[in-house]
Amino acid sequence: MTSSLLTPRGRVRSGGGGTAADSGGGAAAGSTEPTAILDWRHPSVSALLREISVPLDGESPAADPVATLRRAHRWIAGAVRPVYSVQDERPVSDVLRRRRGSCSQRLAVLESFARASGVATRVRGLVVDGRYWYPRFPTLRRLVPDQVVLAWPEFALDSAWLPVSELFGGLDELSARPGGGFTNSGAETLFDAVSRTAIDWDGTTACPADSASCDLSAHVLTDLGHFDSRDELFARHGQTLCWTARLVAEPVLGRRSAGAR
């Protein structure tokens, strides 16, 4: 059983409503501007962007922005150690300084790289069933929150929004690759998995019989719609854990490598 004791009180997590989110009709415009989380103008972030040849806003844009984002993703995968940090609002500059971050924090780093290079981003807010994380915490299931708030990035490319799950190819193409789907166990995280397999939150992918785990739609409790930034999503719907739970858990989980039991 999951726990509702660790989640923020007084939060109604339902889709639609507000000026930032949409559940189908309109669309959040997204932005290239820095935010409190996506602080890509921080000197340390800008210096790192130049180091890995990500063009900054105002400079000559990359000839192939998709290739640039893929390169940035690979760099993050290798340089930022995956851990179970629970501070979703941690600034990207701090994540890079620590050289470790949760799946959410590593996705935020990728968003910062995109915005810095002139590619607008937005996020889709998903509330995922906490039981989906049972394989990672087999002996601590009673402490797993019943709802996990997930900020899933999208990038404005070629007059359309490209979800991070399709950054390395279409979902049907990715699902056909060898290696199977994402099982949410072991060292691999959602951030790492998008480069090799389909991560399908909507159940639209023709998953092979041996890769049914590419369809994750059954784990989605609520689609919160789209938001101009992850800052707006968390301000409206809160982070996965309440403030007290984050304060207690972060010193331990923030250093615990993903996959460690």
Side-chain angles (χ1 to χ4, degrees):
M1 60 183 294
T2 53
S3 172
S4 61
L5 298 177
L6 305 180
T7 55
R9 301 288 88 190
R11 297 283 186 174
V12 178
R13 291 169 175 167
S14 59
T19 58
D22 80 276
S23 294
S31 176
T32 60
E33 289 299 309
T35 68
I37 299 175
L38 310 176
D39 60 342
W40 64 263
R41 285 203 176 105
H42 189 282
S44 63
V45 181
S46 299
L48 186 56
L49 291 170
R50 290 191 174 92
E51 180 183 327
I52 63 174
S53 301
V54 174
L56 299 183
D57 191 25
E59 299 177 349
S60 298
D64 187 344
V66 173
T68 298
L69 289 176
R70 288 177 177 176
R71 185 170 71 252
H73 181 280
R74 294 188 183 101
W75 183 90
I76 298 164
V80 182
R81 180 168 63 92
V83 295
Y84 290 127
S85 175
V86 295
Q87 296 288 6
D88 286 331
E89 292 184 327
R90 174 165 289 155
V92 163
S93 59
D94 197 18
V95 174
L96 291 176
R97 179 182 62 82
R98 295 166 184 261
R99 291 300 177 102
R100 63 178 186 268
S102 66
C103 182
S104 178
Q105 291 166 351
R106 295 163 93 206
L107 286 170
V109 175
L110 183 61
E111 285 182 73
S112 288
F113 284 13
R115 290 193 176 207
S117 63
V119 175
T121 75
R122 67 181 186 181
V123 296
R124 180 184 181 188
L126 297 170
V127 179
V128 182
D129 191 336
R131 289 174 292 184
Y132 182 52
W133 271 263
Y134 274 178
R136 294 194 176 274
F137 303 97
T139 62
L140 298 173
R141 292 184 176 184
R142 290 182 179 274
L143 297 180
V144 174
D146 58 350
Q147 298 180 353
V148 174
V149 180
L150 182 64
W152 200 243
E154 297 182 356
F155 309 97
L157 297 168
D158 298 327
S159 302
W161 287 101
L162 181 74
V164 68
S165 44
E166 297 181 47
L167 181 59
F168 288 86
L171 293 182
D172 286 333
E173 171 194 351
L174 290 167
S175 69
R177 293 181 181 177
F182 177 67
T183 61
N184 207 11
S185 61
E188 186 179 52
T189 69
L190 279 169
F191 178 89
D192 301 301
V194 297
S195 66
R196 69 160 191 88
T197 190
I199 303 295
D200 178 12
W201 299 111
D202 299 296
T204 61
T205 306
C207 301
D210 61 347
S211 297
S213 53
C214 71
D215 179 3
L216 306 182
S217 59
H219 304 289
V220 177
L221 300 176
T222 308
D223 185 344
L224 299 173
H226 291 92
F227 295 77
D228 288 332
S229 71
R230 62 181 49 235
D231 303 57
E232 293 188 14
L233 167 64
F234 295 134
R236 183 182 179 93
H237 293 284
Q239 299 179 58
T240 294
L241 298 178
C242 65
W243 180 85
T244 302
R246 295 198 305 272
L247 182 67
V248 173
E250 181 61 24
V252 177
L253 296 181
R255 294 180 177 273
R256 187 180 184 188
S257 295
R261 305 214 174 225

